[in-house]
Amino acid sequence: MIEDHAMSKDCIFCKISSGQMNTEFVYEDDQCVVFNDIHPKAKTHLLIVAKRHLPSLADAQDSDAELLSHMLLVAKNVAADKKLKGYKVQIHTGREGGQEVFHIHYHLMSPF
Ligand code: AMP
Ligand code: ZN
């Protein structure tokens, strides 16, 4: 069965990315939003969150290539806008990979 990944009722990142939580977005477009991590692990710690409920990188299909590369370029553009001299982009994947929120997101972290 093909799951409908458009929205998951109890998913915090579905609620945030659809604007239900009044979260302040650093950036937003039709595919993703960017906001501050609630428990920052670096001076700059942003999350790039898809608007579509894809649970994990491990669930990605070939048809998700455009979304995944788009989110990577959004991370780069936000980092450039913030004039970050250097940064890391991380994707925690699976419970054993440290993933806590099962809705695809990239961490953008920088000491600057
Ligand atoms: P992970 O699934 O391991 O990539 O971690 C999820 C990240 O989301 C953690 O760094 C949390 O601090 C962050 N997080 C969870 N809930 C919220 C929230 N409501 N607003 C902002 N960040 C959150
Ligand atoms: Zn979701």
Side-chain angles (χ1 to χ4, degrees):
M1 187 187 129
I2 304 217
E3 272 185 74
D4 178 8
H5 290 320
M7 180 97 170
S8 182
K9 186 162 63 68
D10 298 319
C11 171
I12 183 65
F13 283 2
C14 277
K15 288 182 181 148
I16 290 175
S17 64
S18 62
Q20 290 176 52
M21 304 298 286
N22 287 328
T23 307
E24 192 178 322
F25 296 145
V26 171
Y27 172 85
E28 177 176 15
D29 63 28
D30 59 326
Q31 296 189 74
C32 66
V33 296
V34 180
F35 54 88
N36 284 299
D37 195 293
I38 201 166
H39 295 127
K41 288 161 194 77
K43 187 169 171 210
T44 298
H45 188 168
L46 294 160
L47 299 174
I48 294 90
V49 177
K51 288 191 170 176
R52 190 157 58 85
H53 183 83
L54 177 64
S56 167
L57 181 62
D59 298 296
Q61 309 291 313
D62 288 355
S63 57
D64 298 314
E66 207 277 327
L67 171 65
L68 298 175
S69 56
H70 175 75
M71 288 170 63
L72 197 52
L73 289 169
V74 166
K76 184 271 288 182
N77 289 337
V78 169
D81 284 350
K82 291 189 165 294
K83 300 189 172 18
L84 301 177
K85 271 198 283 181
Y87 53 89
K88 296 177 186 176
V89 178
Q90 287 186 2
I91 310 173
H92 301 164
T93 305
R95 218 166 283 285
E96 287 74 15
Q99 187 175 1
E100 292 170 5
V101 178
F102 283 79
H103 174 129
I104 193 137
H105 57 280
Y106 301 172
H107 294 256
L108 171 61
M109 289 183 285
S110 172
F112 300 103

